Amino acid sequence: MTDKSKVFVYPKDVSAFGFDWGKLALTVAPEVNGATRFSGGVVDLPSGKGHTRHNHPGAEEIIFVISGHGEQMVEDEQGNPVVAKVGPGCTIYVPESRFHSTLNTGDGPMQLFVVYSPAGPELMLRELPDFRLIPAGK
């Protein structure tokens, strides 16, 4: 249920999308607090895990590395993979519909904040075979 008064949201306060590679807790989204132009949330990746190459048709994405270290791939305009080592404080811009992937190469967890514009493409993650809904507080 959408609660438009939810302007201060912690990841533990919302249900999360769980996967074999980690989890995504949407803290800003139409279904969380009525955001209309974008959605976003916290991604947790255990050491050695990451999400495989994928894209979000019609949407741009911002990835901000909060903690941990990894390798980020974003394809260029010709579809060639461009890979960089990333760590805390790094902002990654993923242009509209561009394929990308993230791998935690560090010894500990990696935490990211992601923003999708427009909102919506992240809901397609519910269709993945390893998707599970993690209730708030778990």
Side-chain angles (χ1 to χ4, degrees):
M1 181 163 132
T2 302
D3 180 353
K4 292 188 178 190
S5 69
K6 273 188 161 176
V7 294
F8 303 103
V9 183
Y10 288 91
K12 66 177 178 53
D13 297 334
V14 295
S15 59
F17 296 3
F19 306 96
D20 293 344
W21 50 262
K23 69 179 180 177
L24 165 63
L26 291 173
T27 52
V28 177
E31 64 276 13
V32 174
N33 43 22
T36 58
R37 296 191 176 127
F38 57 84
S39 60
V42 178
V43 174
D44 292 296
L45 300 172
S47 181
K49 298 288 185 173
H51 59 77
T52 58
R53 177 186 177 274
H54 68 283
N55 72 342
H56 306 285
E60 296 175 292
E61 182 176 1
I62 296 168
I63 303 169
F64 179 78
V65 181
I66 298 170
S67 62
H69 293 87
E71 285 185 357
Q72 180 67 47
M73 185 280 291
V74 179
E75 289 186 350
D76 66 17
E77 291 179 356
Q78 290 74 40
N80 301 308
V82 178
V83 179
K85 292 188 183 309
V86 296
C90 184
T91 299
I92 299 108
Y93 169 59
V94 181
E96 181 179 336
S97 306
R98 199 76 59 87
F99 281 92
H100 58 286
S101 63
T102 308
L103 176 64
N104 178 353
T105 59
D107 294 335
M110 184 178 195
Q111 192 171 63
L112 313 169
F113 189 81
V114 296
V115 177
Y116 307 97
S117 179
E122 68 284 357
L123 297 179
M124 293 175 19
L125 295 170
R126 293 175 179 248
E127 306 302 319
L128 295 175
D130 63 337
F131 169 82
R132 65 191 177 285
L133 191 63
I134 301 170
K138 300 288 180 182

